[in-house]
Amino acid sequence: NGDAYEPNDSYETAASIVADAPINAYIDPSGDEDWFSLGVTSWVQVDFDIDAQSEGSDLYSLLQIWDDDGATLLIESDNDGMGGEDAVASAIFPSAGTFYVSVTDEDSLGGFDYFYSLTTTSSSPCDNIEIESNDTPALADTGRHYLNIEIISTSGGAVADYLYYFIHVYAPEDVPANP
């Protein structure tokens, strides 16, 4: 099928990729899973974007981001949140390491018409990292960091639609940074 990343059907055979370098691959044959390993530095944000159906593919993409053990699922996405079937996801990694990405078809189908492009874009979401002990409620860092997302869609002055977002935060117990 011309997929240069095969064999990459498991965590153990994951093909190494780098952020900011798009890849083109196939889910072929039916039931195929493509696994990729991605090394990241600490406190980097990586946006994952699959283009498949938007490019004429038959793939209903399922994108999964896995911890460095290849067994702990961190994020799963099967669409772009805007009615499209191409998966997108974003993650902030507080510690450096190798993480894993898997791509498959939601219905375990595959073939030559199940092609996709995976784009990974990295950025630094934090201007500075504050290191402190805040592992108990008494030491909590209060009132200094805010997350405020407010999106209101209106029609004729009335609220027409509420948009909901899932925010994934991956922070193992042993990471003492607080962005």
Side-chain angles (χ1 to χ4, degrees), residues 11-66:
Y11 156 78
E12 292 85 8
T13 60
S16 180
I17 60 171
V18 295
D20 304 309
I23 62 135
N24 296 301
Y26 292 85
I27 297 299
D28 184 23
S30 291
D32 184 28
E33 292 184 19
D34 286 353
W35 282 76
F36 303 95
S37 62
L38 176 68
V40 298
T41 59
S42 61
W43 294 109
V44 67
Q45 176 175 329
V46 181
D47 300 319
F48 302 88
D49 182 12
I50 297 241
D51 289 318
Q53 290 210 340
S54 61
E55 301 297 322
S57 174
D58 290 336
L59 179 68
Y60 284 95
S61 56
L62 176 61
L63 172 69
Q64 297 174 314
I65 314 302
W66 301 85

Side-chain angles (χ1 to χ4, degrees), residues 83-130:
E85 294 296 333
D86 290 343
V88 298
S90 291
I92 297 174
F93 298 94
S95 58
T98 299
F99 295 86
Y100 294 87
V101 180
S102 66
V103 179
T104 192
D105 182 76
E106 282 187 282
D107 299 319
S108 296
L109 299 175
F112 187 73
D113 293 331
Y114 288 74
F115 56 88
Y116 66 93
S117 171
L118 171 62
T119 303
T120 55
T121 307
S122 65
S123 62
S124 179
C126 304
D127 291 333
N128 63 36
I129 304 300
E130 177 181 316

